[in-house]
Amino acid sequence: MSIADNLMAVQKEVAGAALKAGRDPGSVQIIAVTKNVAVERAREAAAAGFLHLGENRVQELQHKAPLIPGVRWHLIGHLQSNKVKYMIDKVHLVHSLDRWSLAVELDRRAREQDRVMPVLVQVNVAGEETKFGLQVSEVWDFIMDVADLKGIQIQGLMTIAPLVENPEEIRPVFREAKRIFDRLQEIPRVKMEQLSMGMTNDYSVAIEEGATMVRIGTAIFGRREY
Ligand SMILES: *Cc1c(COP(=O)(O)O)cnc(C)c1O
């Protein structure tokens, strides 16, 4: 199947999951994850109308951004503070804010460029030791602190669920993420609007549980070789 066909199939499934949950299909943004995908193929997705692309490494994003103009780049992977200066003027939304030192650097570099960097706070909902992200117990205070930084605008949460065979197994993780997300609405000065969760294996369940952004690579571009 072509990338355009894959995209249509994903769109259909996204809409189906949204409707099943009584949600407007337009309330879910698909981010086509182009990591380890050649520029030509990433361009095909953009040409098919998918203008939100996701990368998990700054170096790859720096390479692709000038070659695929007119799209919005999402940085979805772990971000090292010393790479912030290379991505700050290229990225539409950072999904992976997971520590104070990174918030300080994003704030500083964004203000240098007279811009405000939109971010999502990454939360390790399942408490997996191998995953980045704040612990659930830390999130409230962290957001309160980051809300004081003028160069950053918190727009919501991101989480990566554990990899399982049957996505039903991790429905409780997504449900918990949504519950935390809803509770954080009470924090003054921040507007929690985006809940980024769901990948190829589990995006339908994530949408049923309230995802507003899904990050999809394999279902669009096929298996990555690495
Ligand atoms: C690679 C990646 C994705 C996409 O994964 P697929 O299973 O290929 O859809 C989503 N989110 C993050 C953070 C990733 O690194």
Side-chain angles (χ1 to χ4, degrees):
M1 284 220 295
S2 71
I3 287 171
D5 288 338
N6 291 345
L7 282 164
M8 263 200 308
V10 168
Q11 258 173 331
K12 211 171 143 199
E13 193 163 332
V14 163
L19 291 171
K20 189 174 162 196
R23 301 179 52 202
D24 172 6
S27 67
V28 183
Q29 177 68 56
I30 298 168
I31 296 160
V33 176
T34 53
K35 70 180 183 204
N36 281 51
V37 170
V39 170
E40 279 314 311
R41 290 165 58 73
R43 265 205 203 110
E44 256 182 84
F50 277 68
L51 301 178
H52 288 256
L53 303 186
E55 282 289 341
N56 68 340
R57 288 172 54 234
V58 171
Q59 207 179 355
E60 205 171 331
L61 185 122
Q62 264 182 295
H63 170 67
K64 282 179 185 154
L67 301 173
I68 313 174
V71 302
R72 294 183 165 176
W73 291 98
H74 294 248
L75 191 70
I76 61 174
H78 183 65
L79 175 55
Q80 290 173 278
S81 296
N82 62 3
K83 300 278 168 62
V84 168
K85 57 181 175 289
Y86 304 119
M87 51 60 66
I88 198 78
D89 60 337
K90 297 179 182 64
V91 169
H92 172 71
L93 180 64
V94 173
H95 289 232
S96 46
L97 175 60
D98 61 355
R99 61 196 188 279
W100 178 248
S101 57
L102 177 60
V104 169
E105 180 65 3
L106 283 165
D107 173 59
R108 182 168 83 89
R109 295 289 180 180
R111 283 189 292 111
E112 262 176 25
Q113 307 226 354
D114 279 325
R115 72 168 295 196
V116 176
M117 188 72 231
V119 301
L120 306 180
V121 173
Q122 185 173 352
V123 186
N124 185 355
V125 175
E128 287 182 289
E129 281 183 16
T130 53
K131 292 257 166 77
F132 292 108
L134 290 161
Q135 298 304 308
V136 171
S137 60
E138 303 170 320
V139 176
W140 183 285
D141 288 346
F142 181 78
I143 290 179
M144 293 282 279
D145 290 342
V146 173
D148 288 333
L149 302 176
K150 300 278 184 292
I152 297 186
Q153 185 197 32
I154 294 178
Q155 296 195 339
L157 298 184
M158 182 272 247
T159 197
I160 302 175
L163 193 60
V164 291
E165 293 251 309
N166 177 1
E168 279 302 329
E169 287 173 41
I170 45 170
R171 186 181 290 277
V173 173
F174 294 134
R175 190 164 292 177
E176 176 66 2
K178 176 66 160 68
R179 197 188 62 81
I180 297 162
F181 175 78
D182 287 343
R183 237 192 81 220
L184 294 167
Q185 308 285 347
E186 290 165 29
I187 298 183
R189 293 180 299 151
V190 295
K191 227 164 139 200
M192 303 295 284
E193 290 178 322
Q194 303 294 350
L195 183 53
S196 168
M197 58 185 191
M199 309 175 21
T200 291
N201 284 326
D202 54 22
Y203 68 90
S204 292
V205 175
I207 291 166
E208 286 167 27
E209 296 301 329
T212 67
M213 289 182 164
V214 288
R215 310 174 307 266
I216 301 178
T218 308
I220 296 171
F221 298 106
R223 255 179 216 295
R224 292 177 290 273
E225 320 243 332
Y226 63 118

